[in-house]
Amino acid sequence: LLIYQNPPPTPPRTDQQPNSVNLLEPCRSCSHTLGDHVTHLENVSEEEMNRLLGIVLDVEYLYTCVHKEEDADTKQVYFSLFKLLRKCILQMGKPVVEAQESPPFEKPSIEQGVNNFVQYKFSHLPSKERQTIVELAKMFLNQINYWQLETPSQRRQRAPADDAAGYKVNYTRWLCYCNVPQFCDSLPRYETTQIFGRTLLGSVFTVMRKQLLEQARQEKDMLPPEKRTLILTHFPKFLSMLEEEVYSHSSPIWSENFLVGSTGGQIPIHTGGQKRKPSEPIPHDENKKLRIVGDIPMELINEVMATITDPTSMLGPETSLLSAHSARDEAARLEERRGVIEFHVIGNSLNQKPNKRILMWLVGLQNVFSHQLPRMPKEYITRLVFDPKHKTLSLIKDGRVIGGICFRMFPSQGFTEIVFCAVTSNEQVKGYGTHLMNHLKEYHIKHDILNFLTYADEYAIGYFKKQGFSKDIKVPKAKYLGYIKDYEGATLMGCELNPSIPYTEFSVIIKKQKEIIKKLIERKQAQIRKVYPGLSCFKEGVRQIPIESIPGIRETGWKPLGKGKELKDPDQLYSTLKTILQHVKSHQNAWPFMEPVKKTEAPGYYQVIRFPMDLKTMSERLKSRYYTTRKLFMADMQRIFTNCREYNPPESQYYKCANLLEKVFYTKIKEAGLIEK
């Protein structure tokens, strides 16, 4: 970026500086008077003069830095900036750093990524607890903005295998745009977190995290009481969770398609359905998006959420009494937030000596499995727990193991085998088993393995069913045959993971959604809660009246049925819908909608479309007799067309196919008499 062209000049003598200057005196370098050298400044404004004097001060400071700096890379940058400012003084211009590109250097920025992380991981929390996370995020970003990066030579010594050239480029940019402008006001200054992104953060995060935590431990006695818990308890966990997202290749927080919600924060939308060319941008204008029929506006949801103040409704961290309808893992989740329990994935290793703590935990896991699974030979349990190919998600409470799930991953086959799963008897019925499984699911989603297989005995089948396992195995038999251990008298069960679900917080999200719906119902009831006088027409001899003539009936949301008929015979409905679906699938414009959209063909599709639908899925639903009414069938078909128009631009062939196929569909529906013509 910057080239060291010439050695810095010798410092001028500063021991004989006069207090005042006579412009009529001759110049020491030439025969002119001093006044001849400043004639071009006679008409310069005072503001411009002050700016130039400020640059002079910065030049003198950089001159000192050049001669004091020992690191060659840093000295080179200082000298280049020194020459740049000196040139600005001579030409009375403004300093512009000659770089290969201008800020920002990477999108999304560190600041945006951290904000995305807060929304992605903590948006479900109550406002009070979420505010704590926001404070931690601000504190972390502030630390980065004033963090002193190690020089490229220091980094080469510490991590010789890292990308030295890439780090040197970012180090030079950081000096020019963030560090030097802190003490040279004439240079434009940028915040590190606003112009750099994941690359720079990844190169400094490990060292920075270690130093920050060490500093916090050393200064814990000087921290005010209200900050002590925040920094010593919450901040380390915040950094650990952020570290996973910084170095995870599949983390959504670094995607430029991380969508903006109506509240102004960043909200990831996990969804899915029609094809877009990879070169076409994803639209961000929420106002232009077509709204799905039945969707609740985000503005209304935010307004309702603001009225929910009961901490038990939102499962706040201070909830001490759990309701009878609490989720199974609620108590365990609260204990984890308070630091009572911890979860660690551990395993034995032949390459490096495991530390004493891990060995003690492995022994503890072997004891728990042996006591809780008496049918399993103890030697067999010991062999698998200490086998380097197996790992165990351990549940730690008060420093000792109270449960765990032993598993073996088969990445090439796309599944993981769960071998043992147990919680010690005196810690059961507390939701630990559910929370263990949820942690295991999130661990595997991060490692791109989305299928579990296990052999469950008659005592474990109930537990695995509650965790989403079933006897309907999604993994092809050829994939697991010969890999998974077969147990006599046990039942093979499988579980398919959805990467869009945050499993450890899923019950919280569901409870929050139920509370929002409840409030929306209460609002609707308040709007229509009106007492009408009784119907007196029947006393006068009237035998029958139209439903729509009943006072207040329309205000409840009731609508008169159209002329289209609802087929009551299930077989007749099935036959009619099957015929319509066959007509649609055989149409020449149906080709884009035949199967679910593949992620490789439409990048970012499942982050834009919330409810994907396709003709193959509709065929499967029809076959399973899912469509008990015509409305369900029509809603799914309409969603195909709506999704396509929402994702693709109007000039695309997919958009045009959706419009043409929609006309065909409604023609067939009318012909079948399901809606009025």
Side-chain angles (χ1 to χ4, degrees):
L1 295 180
L2 296 165
I3 301 174
Y4 194 150
Q5 294 177 336
N6 300 309
T10 305
R13 294 184 61 188
T14 58
D15 54 345
Q16 295 180 347
Q17 291 183 352
N19 294 327
S20 61
V21 177
N22 186 352
L23 296 180
L24 297 177
E25 291 182 4
C27 176
R28 296 177 184 177
S29 302
C30 62
S31 58
H32 300 98
T33 62
L34 293 176
D36 291 340
H37 290 288
V38 294
T39 52
H40 63 291
L41 299 175
E42 289 179 357
N43 298 321
V44 172
S45 66
E46 184 178 353
E47 182 181 356
E48 177 65 9
M49 185 68 74
N50 289 334
R51 187 185 72 84
L52 292 172
L53 289 173
I55 298 179
V56 171
L57 293 175
D58 291 343
V59 167
E60 291 179 352
Y61 188 84
L62 281 172
Y63 180 82
T64 305
C65 291
V66 169
H67 287 275
K68 285 184 177 181
E69 183 59 50
E70 297 179 357
D71 178 71
D73 295 311
T74 309
K75 183 191 285 282
Q76 177 178 335
V77 176
Y78 284 162
F79 183 56
S80 296
L81 293 175
F82 166 82
K83 292 192 299 179
L84 171 67
L85 293 184
R86 192 173 59 178
K87 180 180 178 181
C88 288
I89 295 173
L90 296 174
Q91 298 180 354
M92 296 178 64
K94 293 185 177 181
V96 178
V97 179
E98 296 179 0
Q100 292 179 351
E101 56 181 306
S102 301
F105 303 112
E106 190 175 5
K107 291 183 179 180
S109 65
I110 296 174
E111 182 180 278
Q112 189 63 60
V114 172
N115 286 334
N116 292 350
F117 166 71
V118 171
Q119 291 292 338
Y120 179 52
K121 287 291 187 181
F122 307 104
S123 61
H124 63 278
L125 295 179
S127 58
K128 183 179 178 182
E129 189 176 0
R130 191 170 181 278
Q131 187 58 38
T132 301
I133 301 298
V134 171
E135 290 299 321
L136 291 173
K138 288 180 180 178
M139 185 166 64
F140 175 72
L141 292 173
N142 188 59
Q143 290 286 348
I144 296 178
N145 284 329
Y146 292 96
W147 193 258
Q148 189 70 27
L149 298 189
E150 58 185 347
T151 63
S153 57
Q154 291 172 334
R155 182 174 176 81
R156 279 194 298 271
Q157 294 175 358
R158 183 181 61 81
D162 287 357
D163 180 15
Y167 181 79
K168 185 176 179 180
V169 169
N170 274 336
Y171 177 76
T172 302
R173 291 168 172 170
W174 171 76
L175 279 176
C176 293
Y177 292 102
C178 305
N179 181 253
V180 174
Q182 287 183 356
F183 51 81
C184 290
D185 295 335
S186 55
L187 291 170
R189 180 174 180 267
Y190 298 84
E191 298 285 7
T192 305
T193 56
Q194 293 179 351
I195 65 172
F196 291 99
R198 183 182 194 176
T199 304
L200 181 70
L201 182 60
S203 64
V204 303
F205 190 90
T206 304
V207 174
M208 183 179 177
R209 176 176 179 266
K210 183 179 179 181
Q211 292 183 18
L212 283 176
L213 296 181
E214 183 62 31
Q215 182 183 353
R217 283 191 290 268
Q218 291 176 356
E219 299 177 358
K220 63 180 180 180
D221 295 331
M222 294 182 283
L223 294 172
E226 65 274 10
K227 290 285 185 182
R228 195 168 297 167
T229 303
L230 182 72
I231 294 176
L232 298 180
T233 303
H234 299 306
F235 196 43
K237 186 169 183 181
F238 176 87
L239 292 177
S240 296
M241 294 178 70
L242 179 58
E243 185 175 27
E244 291 182 10
E245 302 302 324
V246 170
Y247 297 112
S248 169
H249 297 295
S250 58
S251 174
I253 70 170
W254 302 106
S255 170
E256 289 191 57
N257 300 329
F258 201 89
L259 299 184
V260 180
S262 60
T263 57
Q266 294 287 341
I267 305 173
I269 301 179
H270 307 287
T271 48
Q274 256 48 56
K275 303 175 177 66
R276 170 190 295 276
K277 295 177 182 177
S279 60
E280 294 176 0
I282 295 176
H284 287 273
D285 191 345
E286 294 289 325
N287 296 323
K288 293 182 181 179
K289 284 192 174 183
L290 296 174
R291 200 174 279 284
I292 304 297
V293 177
D295 278 359
I296 302 172
M298 278 301 299
E299 296 80 5
L300 179 57
I301 291 179
N302 292 327
E303 185 181 339
V304 169
M305 286 177 62
T307 67
I308 302 176
T309 56
D310 179 10
T312 59
S313 298
M314 289 305 171
L315 302 182
E318 305 304 323
T319 305
S320 57
L321 298 176
L322 302 178
S323 71
H325 303 289
S326 298
R328 285 188 296 272
D329 62 336
E330 185 172 330
R333 182 171 48 250
L334 295 177
E335 285 190 10
E336 184 185 11
R337 286 181 188 168
R338 297 185 184 118
V340 178
I341 59 174
E342 299 175 359
F343 295 87
H344 300 275
V345 176
I346 61 174
N348 202 0
S349 174
L350 297 178
N351 301 323
Q352 56 186 18
K353 184 179 179 181
N355 60 46
K356 184 178 179 181
R357 185 178 66 167
I358 291 179
L359 285 175
M360 291 296 292
W361 284 350
L362 288 173
V363 172
L365 286 163
Q366 185 261 347
N367 288 333
V368 170
F369 293 144
S370 297
H371 282 92
Q372 300 304 130
L373 307 171
R375 293 185 179 184
M376 287 289 176
K378 193 170 184 178
E379 296 78 8
Y380 178 69
I381 292 175
T382 304
R383 179 159 61 87
L384 293 190
V385 169
F386 285 89
D387 176 23
K389 295 179 181 178
H390 288 71
K391 294 180 181 179
T392 305
L393 174 63
S394 55
L395 170 58
I396 311 299
K397 186 174 184 179
D398 298 328
R400 63 185 181 87
V401 175
I402 64 168
I405 300 177
C406 182
F407 60 94
R408 180 174 177 181
M409 303 168 75
F410 295 97
S412 62
Q413 305 305 109
F415 76 93
T416 281
E417 177 192 9
I418 294 178
V419 186
F420 307 126
C421 176
V423 174
T424 188
S425 55
N426 61 336
E427 296 287 358
Q428 291 180 4
V429 201
K430 295 182 179 180
Y432 291 152
T434 297
H435 208 42
L436 258 172
M437 187 61 71
N438 287 337
H439 269 286
L440 189 68
K441 289 175 179 177
E442 290 198 347
Y443 177 83
H444 279 78
I445 288 172
K446 289 174 183 174
H447 289 80
D448 296 322
I449 297 179
L450 303 180
N451 283 284
F452 287 161
L453 291 177
T454 188
Y455 272 99
D457 60 24
E458 65 268 28
Y459 302 108
I461 289 177
Y463 164 78
F464 282 110
K465 278 186 176 179
K466 292 176 182 177
Q467 309 310 319
F469 285 71
S470 74
K471 298 175 185 178
D472 180 19
I473 309 301
K474 301 295 184 183
V475 181
K477 193 171 184 179
K479 287 280 187 181
Y480 65 82
L481 197 63
Y483 287 87
I484 189 171
K485 292 174 277 294
D486 195 350
Y487 296 94
E488 186 178 349
T491 303
L492 181 63
M493 302 185 74
C495 178
E496 188 175 20
L497 307 183
N498 186 330
S500 300
I501 296 177
Y503 283 96
T504 55
E505 303 294 341
F506 189 55
S507 59
V508 178
I509 295 170
I510 294 298
K511 189 171 180 70
K512 181 185 256 187
Q513 290 176 348
K514 288 168 72 175
E515 195 65 26
I516 291 171
I517 296 298
K518 181 181 174 183
K519 290 288 183 181
L520 288 170
I521 292 173
E522 290 176 0
R523 283 190 166 209
K524 187 67 176 177
Q525 288 175 339
Q527 292 172 3
I528 64 174
R529 191 171 291 143
K530 183 177 179 181
V531 179
Y532 291 88
L535 297 173
S536 59
C537 57
F538 298 108
K539 293 181 180 180
E540 299 168 0
V542 176
R543 304 276 301 179
Q544 183 178 353
I545 63 171
I547 296 177
E548 55 267 28
S549 67
I550 300 174
I553 189 70
R554 290 184 181 273
E555 286 80 347
T556 64
W558 177 88
K559 294 179 181 178
L561 292 174
K563 294 181 181 179
K565 59 181 179 180
E566 186 68 74
L567 300 178
K568 295 183 179 180
D569 181 6
D571 293 331
Q572 186 182 357
L573 177 65
Y574 173 80
S575 177
T576 304
L577 297 183
K578 183 178 180 181
T579 303
I580 294 172
L581 188 58
Q582 287 295 341
H583 278 294
V584 172
K585 289 171 69 176
S586 61
H587 195 270
Q588 61 181 2
N589 291 309
W591 62 269
F593 317 109
M594 295 301 290
E595 293 186 347
V597 174
K598 296 178 181 177
K599 292 182 180 179
T600 54
E601 295 180 3
Y605 181 83
Y606 288 92
Q607 293 176 319
V608 176
I609 300 302
R610 291 192 286 175
F611 304 104
M613 185 50 60
D614 59 274
L615 295 175
K616 181 181 179 182
T617 302
M618 287 191 67
S619 298
E620 292 171 353
R621 287 187 169 189
L622 181 64
K623 188 176 180 181
S624 64
R625 301 296 178 119
Y626 168 81
Y627 297 118
T628 56
T629 66
R630 62 185 172 89
K631 289 184 178 179
L632 284 173
F633 180 79
M634 292 173 64
D636 275 356
M637 187 67 76
Q638 184 60 53
R639 191 171 293 281
I640 292 178
F641 307 136
T642 306
N643 287 348
C644 179
R645 287 191 287 258
E646 182 175 358
Y647 186 79
N648 297 287
E651 65 274 9
S652 68
Q653 56 182 333
Y654 306 114
Y655 197 104
K656 295 173 183 176
C657 283
N659 288 342
L660 293 171
L661 194 63
E662 184 179 35
K663 292 179 181 178
V664 172
F665 169 67
Y666 279 103
T667 299
K668 295 299 178 184
I669 284 285
K670 290 175 182 177
E671 289 176 358
L674 296 183
I675 61 173
E676 59 183 355
K677 296 185 179 181

